[in-house]
Amino acid sequence: MNKTASLKATITVRLIIPVILFLTIETVLSYFVTLHYVDEAYDRWLLDSARSLLQEIKVKGGQVYAKLPTSAMEIFKWDDVDKTYFKIIAENSGVLAGDQFVPEPIKAIDWNRPYFFNAMIHEEPIRVVSMRASGDNLPEKVFIHVAETLNKRRDMMLDILLADLVPQLLLTLLISIYLFKGVNRGLAPLHKLTNEIAQRSPRDLSPVPETHVFAEVRTLTDTINHLLGKLATAITAQQRFIANAAHQLRTPLAGLKLQAERAQREKDIDAMRPALAQIQNSADRVSHMITQLLVLARSGPIEGSHQLEPVDLRVLARDTCIEWVPKALQKKIELSFDDPGTSITVKGDKVLLGELLANLLDNAITYGRPHGNISVHVSRRPIPCLSVADDGAGIPAAEHDKIFERFYRIPGSPGKGCGLGLAIVREIADLHQAQLSLGSSESGGTLIDLKFPNRSG
């Protein structure tokens, strides 16, 4: 099981890590800058020591020599921190004075200026300066090499780095404390929001208060409030649906019960037939209503519950019309399909779109005039459109806003419908974000258009 990451820890770490990184980079840069200037300062002193040996180089009888008194040697090498070594060497005469083991440059250099390099003496790091003794009276080339251990340099570097690093560490510590407290203060509204939502009743879908909330947190509360609003709408619609369904089912079920009791009182089978016929009619009505209710429930506005896929509207309309031709012929109605001849693809749920067209055809056949005509047309004009037109009596303009409501039937309507057909059509159209419009056909009947958005096909 993966451990849930802490937002506070994540924010704190992401803020502290750059501070530590910058401190590390600054420390490394400070080290090299300090090393440069410390070496530069002590190299000058080392060079001064080498130049002080120039006066000890003498020429006698055409021979060069160097002799340092004991007192001068003690003064030259005196140092309570570092050890100092030197060597004066002539090109032909060899070592004139000093320590034989003092290293010399291992590569060719320009002797016109002093040369500094690092080396080792007795496994101890040293800094060496090498220079050529100047003078026209010298019979041969003479070189001076002075070496010194690095203790003073290290001590000075450590002092400078500590003087620079300690304040930065204290500053980093103060910044860390401030950031930690700042993150706690910044996350306080989230903790308060969590507590408010945790203490709520499951029935309480009122908006979350947004007082004393930061702009970034308000985005979260707005999203939660939007979700609560949609849940409240969905629950209200579900409750209304259940109440209406219970009300509509109560009547045919009561009729079933009444006719069953009537049939039980009769002893002759012929006397039972009217009651049995009423039972069959009630059962058909209940079956039809349950089917419609299931379709309506399936097309409910629950986002993300339907996978919309490419659907050929031409093939769907043609196949559905073929299925409904026998019922149309029973009422001596001519059902025609205007085939566009080319595929018209939309994004949708094939089953629900079939139910939508089936309900439109059912209404047109049920409420159309005998020996009438029903036409189904599919076009692109300029977006995909499905049209169903009949030549019946039409729908009064005053009823246009009501007929799409659940369980509503125009007073005096023929047939035994339950008022769910057009409600299902509207639900499925809304699910597909299609534009549903109601008008009059050229023959004065009803015309229903379903226009799909441009993104559909």
Side-chain angles (χ1 to χ4, degrees):
M1 182 177 179
N2 295 330
K3 184 179 180 181
T4 303
S6 168
L7 178 60
K8 179 171 68 175
T10 301
I11 294 176
T12 303
V13 168
R14 290 186 179 182
L15 291 175
I16 292 298
I17 286 180
V19 175
I20 296 175
L21 180 61
F22 294 150
L23 176 63
T24 303
I25 295 174
E26 200 279 335
T27 301
V28 173
L29 292 176
S30 296
Y31 170 79
F32 287 105
V33 171
T34 303
L35 177 63
H36 169 74
Y37 285 106
V38 167
D39 279 343
E40 192 174 82
Y42 280 99
D43 283 351
R44 289 197 190 100
W45 295 345
L46 193 60
L47 180 59
D48 290 341
S49 298
R51 286 173 176 170
S52 68
L53 296 175
L54 288 174
Q55 60 186 352
E56 305 301 330
I57 300 174
K58 309 294 183 181
V59 178
K60 184 177 181 181
Q63 295 292 325
V64 63
Y65 70 97
K67 184 176 181 181
L68 274 71
T70 303
S71 58
M73 185 76 71
E74 291 177 354
I75 293 174
F76 182 82
K77 289 194 171 186
W78 180 86
D79 193 326
D80 59 348
V81 178
D82 281 308
K83 297 176 183 179
T84 303
Y85 309 97
F86 77 95
K87 179 171 66 175
I88 302 175
I89 184 172
E91 185 176 24
N92 298 321
S93 304
V95 177
L96 303 179
D99 305 300
Q100 179 75 31
F101 52 79
V102 174
E104 301 177 22
I106 59 175
K107 65 179 182 178
I109 62 173
D110 181 10
W111 289 106
N112 291 323
R113 55 184 178 179
Y115 177 71
F116 296 90
F117 63 96
N118 295 321
M120 301 286 290
I121 291 180
H122 306 314
E123 298 183 354
E124 187 175 10
I126 58 169
R127 181 74 168 170
V128 183
V129 60
S130 297
M131 61 178 293
R132 179 180 174 182
S134 59
D136 297 334
N137 60 338
L138 295 177
E140 58 180 308
K141 296 179 182 179
V142 178
F143 303 95
I144 300 173
H145 308 284
V146 179
E148 184 182 54
T149 55
L150 307 178
N151 296 327
K152 289 195 297 292
R153 298 170 186 254
R154 291 174 178 171
D155 292 343
M156 180 173 284
M157 283 188 60
L158 183 60
D159 292 341
I160 295 175
L161 288 176
L162 288 178
D164 181 50
L165 187 59
V166 170
Q168 293 188 40
L169 290 175
L170 293 176
L171 179 61
T172 303
L173 179 60
L174 293 176
I175 291 175
S176 301
I177 295 174
Y178 177 79
L179 289 177
F180 184 77
K181 291 185 177 181
V183 169
N184 281 336
R185 288 196 301 269
L187 295 179
L190 288 178
H191 295 304
K192 184 177 180 181
L193 177 63
T194 301
N195 293 332
E196 289 180 355
I197 295 177
Q199 294 172 4
R200 281 191 169 213
S201 165
R203 298 179 180 273
D204 185 4
L205 297 178
S206 60
V208 176
E210 296 183 344
T211 55
H212 307 294
V213 172
F214 295 119
E216 292 78 9
V217 180
R218 180 161 294 178
T219 303
L220 174 61
T221 57
D222 289 343
T223 304
I224 293 175
N225 288 337
H226 182 62
L227 175 60
L228 292 176
K230 290 194 293 185
L231 286 175
T233 301
I235 291 174
T236 301
Q238 185 183 49
Q239 291 174 343
R240 185 175 66 251
F241 172 79
I242 293 173
N244 291 336
H247 174 74
Q248 293 296 324
L249 287 172
R250 189 179 296 116
T251 300
L253 289 176
L256 276 173
K257 181 179 179 182
L258 179 64
Q259 295 302 327
E261 292 175 351
R262 175 186 171 186
Q264 286 179 341
R265 289 196 298 267
E266 300 294 340
K267 296 182 179 180
D268 186 6
I269 188 65
D270 292 331
M272 291 182 184
R273 292 187 185 278
L276 294 176
Q278 291 296 327
I279 290 175
Q280 182 179 2
N281 290 336
S282 297
D284 290 342
R285 184 177 177 186
V286 170
S287 175
H288 177 70
M289 184 178 296
I290 290 175
T291 301
Q292 296 287 71
L293 288 173
L294 290 175
V295 174
L296 189 62
R298 187 170 184 264
S299 62
I302 305 301
E303 296 184 7
S305 60
H306 296 278
Q307 183 67 35
L308 301 184
E309 299 176 347
V311 177
D312 190 338
L313 204 57
R314 168 180 170 266
V315 174
L316 177 73
R318 182 193 62 195
D319 293 346
T320 305
C321 288
I322 292 175
E323 293 177 4
W324 281 84
V325 165
K327 185 173 182 180
L329 293 177
Q330 287 179 1
K331 292 195 66 174
K332 299 180 181 181
I333 292 176
E334 182 179 348
L335 174 59
S336 63
F337 171 58
D338 185 7
D339 194 335
T342 58
S343 297
I344 299 177
T345 304
V346 299
K347 286 280 189 178
D349 185 306
K350 184 177 180 180
V351 175
L352 290 182
L353 288 177
E355 290 289 344
L356 179 148
L357 182 54
N359 277 279
L360 291 178
L361 293 176
D362 187 25
N363 273 15
I365 293 172
T366 300
Y367 303 113
R369 67 179 182 84
H371 305 283
N373 294 278
I374 300 173
S375 63
V376 177
H377 181 68
V378 179
S379 66
R380 292 185 181 274
R381 46 167 194 175
I383 60 176
C385 179
L386 172 65
S387 303
V388 178
D390 63 50
D391 57 358
I395 299 175
E399 302 290 343
H400 282 192
D401 294 334
K402 300 178 182 179
I403 61 170
F404 291 106
E405 296 178 3
R406 297 177 180 181
F407 304 107
Y408 179 80
R409 301 187 71 215
I410 298 176
S413 298
K416 299 179 181 180
C418 58
L420 285 176
L422 291 181
I424 291 173
V425 170
R426 185 185 64 179
E427 293 283 357
I428 297 176
D430 290 344
L431 177 67
H432 290 77
Q433 299 180 10
Q435 179 183 353
L436 184 65
S437 60
L438 175 63
S440 298
S441 64
E442 295 179 356
S443 59
T446 301
L447 171 65
I448 295 181
D449 286 334
L450 185 68
K451 297 178 181 178
F452 293 83
N454 282 321
R455 64 176 177 82
S456 298

